Amino acid sequence: MRTQVGIIGAGPAGLLLSHLLHLRGISSVVLEKRSRDYVERRVRAGVLEQGTVETLVEAGVGERMRREGLPHHGIELRYGGAGHRIPFEKLVPGRSITVYGQQEVVKDLIAARLAAGGDVRFDVEDVAVHSLESEPYVTFGGERLDCDVIAGCDGFHGVSRPAIPEGVLTVFEREYPFAWLGILADVEPSSEELIYTRTDRGFALHSMRSPTVSRFYLQVPADTRVEEWPDDRIWDELRARLESVPGFTLTTGEITEKGVTPMRSFVVEPMQYGRLYLAGDAAHIVPPTGAKGLNLAVADVRVLTEALAAYFEGGSTELLDGYSEACLKRVWRAQHFSWWMTMLLHTFEDDDAYGRKLQLSYLDYVTSSEAAATTLAENYVGLPYAT
Ligand code: FAD
Ligand code: DHB
């Protein structure tokens, strides 16, 4: 079997890449180790930057997102007994975010690929990438896929990145001493906008998916197991952290999903080797506080699509050679923003009184200075793409 681009992984990165390549007349095969049902149900991110929304709309996969997604024009930072709105419409006029679940984006992309006759294979076993320097190929389930280029879109735990010979990649990473416990609940949101809360008990986030479904996150110790958090304990803790301003009452409901996400910052440089190009979580991870993971995956895939189009249409390898460099600028901006949001809003066990004072002073600055709030807002809605 032969295709132009062999894509490992049917997450947002792999599926969008396959679709964008299709629109440029470039063939691909997507190989995914999980079932279609599994990837369509995997609950993860929910905040789409303006550029992500525009990319999906331009690619013809934004119809349901436009209909069901929730446009947001601000977020609240809550701490010290008060809420402070960061108004996007004032600070970054014309720019906003859309709240729409990652698994809905994945569903829309799979539907579009299949409707266009795309080759997306689920439940594929033993995927391995070979001959990365030239004439690369992929083996899986006893079959062989020859391709011109391989796109490693298989997330942080995939097989693509580890296939790069030792010594090629430089790894930059940081682990955080806490995780996020995330839940979905059948209950109307208690707030119209997202609330990022810092309390002495830890961080909490109130998000949502629809007028009848809410999403919440709690900062928990890194080694937390979901079983330690029965529903009542979750609601008690969310109340304790979110009901910290006068007049705010949290509405509770049935919890339908629970999961623990470790917090990590991670980047490899370069994001390519020979004929293998890494995109999304395969190359970099951010802590979720800035809601950047999915959006970065989309940004990588945009760059890779242009580079592959230049290669297949005109034979030029210039953009492909510069792929990693072109992506890493945005990757590092998002790394800094996510680290900064994380440090601003979480509690740290080893933090002393001085550290807490600094954190609160910075929060006061961000919520009172227009310049500082604009820094947060323009990063949160997403900086414009370089091209
Ligand atoms: P992924 O979505 O991870 O997709 C990779 C795909 O490759 C998967 O479908 C996987 O099954 C497949 N795969 C892996 N190995 C193989 C293999 N050997 N062969 C074939 N296929 C393979 N970001 C936020 O902004 N907010 C959040 O709240 C948030 N929550 C998260 C919770 C969890 C548990 C995780 C893991 C991530 C979360 N993220 C969050 C990050 C965000 O979801 C990711 O940045 C985004 O999914 C990246 O997309 P991707 O396509 O690069 O990778
Ligand atoms: C969501 C996730 C995030 O990481 C975030 O910063 C905001 C919202 C969410 O899942 O809705």
Side-chain angles (χ1 to χ4, degrees):
M1 198 186 352
R2 176 156 194 100
T3 191
Q4 287 173 296
V5 183
I7 300 177
I8 320 296
L15 290 165
L16 181 63
L17 178 64
S18 176
H19 184 67
L20 294 178
L21 292 176
H22 162 72
L23 297 177
R24 306 292 280 260
I26 299 165
S27 68
S28 66
V29 174
V30 181
L31 301 173
E32 165 62 49
K33 73 171 181 184
R34 302 283 194 171
S35 68
R36 177 176 176 184
D37 190 53
Y38 183 93
V39 300
E40 289 190 342
R41 280 169 193 258
R42 190 166 42 197
V43 179
R44 286 185 173 174
V47 170
L48 306 185
E49 290 178 356
Q50 174 137 342
T52 298
V53 169
E54 285 164 4
T55 302
L56 295 172
V57 169
E58 280 161 22
V61 288
E63 199 195 315
R64 195 165 66 94
M65 175 187 65
R66 274 271 167 89
R67 224 173 36 238
E68 297 177 15
L70 308 169
H72 281 217
H73 299 280
I75 55 170
E76 181 183 325
L77 297 185
R78 188 172 286 190
Y79 67 96
H84 308 262
R85 185 166 186 264
I86 306 291
F88 300 155
E89 72 279 0
K90 175 172 170 220
L91 302 171
V92 281
R95 297 186 72 74
S96 59
I97 53 137
T98 295
V99 176
Y100 187 64
Q102 177 169 327
Q103 81 268 34
E104 306 306 325
V105 174
V106 164
K107 279 184 209 160
D108 295 344
L109 285 167
I110 291 174
R113 286 314 297 125
L114 298 182
D119 194 345
V120 185
R121 302 186 187 202
F122 296 97
D123 301 302
V124 166
E125 288 178 354
D126 302 325
V127 175
V129 297
H130 309 272
S131 184
L132 302 180
E133 288 87 0
S134 70
E135 300 183 22
Y137 62 96
V138 186
T139 52
F140 61 98
E143 295 194 58
R144 171 176 167 140
L145 173 68
D146 288 288
C147 33
D148 297 296
V149 163
I150 298 173
C153 303
D154 46 352
F156 184 67
H157 300 287
V159 291
S160 303
R161 192 183 65 250
I164 296 174
E166 216 169 297
V168 171
L169 300 179
T170 305
V171 175
F172 302 86
E173 84 185 301
R174 181 158 297 182
E175 293 207 7
Y176 300 87
F178 42 75
W180 276 15
L181 172 69
I183 64 155
L184 268 186
D186 282 337
V187 60
E188 82 259 24
S190 301
S191 158
E192 282 186 9
E193 295 183 337
L194 271 63
I195 307 171
Y196 286 80
T197 312
R198 184 225 170 268
T199 76
D200 289 338
R201 305 174 70 95
F203 168 78
L205 171 59
H206 181 356
S207 182
M208 62 211 64
R209 286 294 177 269
S210 74
T212 56
V213 176
S214 300
R215 178 115 169 106
F216 297 93
Y217 297 95
L218 283 170
Q219 175 187 354
V220 292
D223 54 358
T224 295
R225 288 175 302 116
V226 162
E227 301 77 57
E228 296 164 33
W229 285 85
D231 295 6
D232 285 351
R233 183 176 179 205
I234 292 176
W235 288 122
D236 286 349
E237 195 57 38
L238 282 169
R239 263 195 226 100
R241 296 189 196 181
L242 282 160
E243 290 185 349
S244 51
V245 297
F248 179 86
T249 314
L250 187 68
T251 315
T252 62
E254 191 194 339
I255 296 178
T256 55
E257 227 276 335
K258 278 183 209 177
V260 175
T261 304
M263 304 276 278
R264 186 186 274 121
S265 296
F266 177 92
V267 184
V268 288
E269 292 190 9
M271 293 167 51
Q272 62 194 81
Y273 173 71
R275 302 237 143 189
L276 170 67
Y277 299 88
L278 304 175
D281 278 17
H284 42 72
I285 300 275
V286 283
T289 326
K292 288 286 161 253
L294 165 62
N295 295 295
L296 269 188
V298 169
D300 288 352
V301 160
R302 284 175 58 102
V303 176
L304 189 52
T305 300
E306 287 311 315
L308 289 170
Y311 175 64
F312 287 115
E313 285 161 16
S316 164
T317 62
E318 196 186 331
L319 292 181
L320 273 181
D321 294 344
Y323 166 71
S324 176
E325 203 185 326
C327 291
L328 281 169
K329 223 174 171 169
R330 189 179 190 87
V331 167
W332 277 109
R333 179 86 292 280
Q335 286 287 333
H336 178 269
F337 178 66
S338 306
W339 167 84
W340 177 76
M341 285 282 278
T342 303
M343 301 304 285
L344 195 61
L345 291 162
H346 291 74
T347 43
F348 293 80
E349 243 171 44
D350 57 355
D351 219 356
D352 53 10
Y354 179 81
R356 273 194 299 282
K357 284 281 188 192
L358 282 186
Q359 197 181 34
L360 291 169
S361 159
Y362 211 133
L363 277 163
D364 282 343
Y365 176 51
V366 167
T367 52
S368 61
S369 149
E370 191 167 318
T374 302
T375 296
L376 193 162
E378 73 170 350
N379 280 277
Y380 195 83
V381 300
L383 292 163
Y385 297 121
T387 50

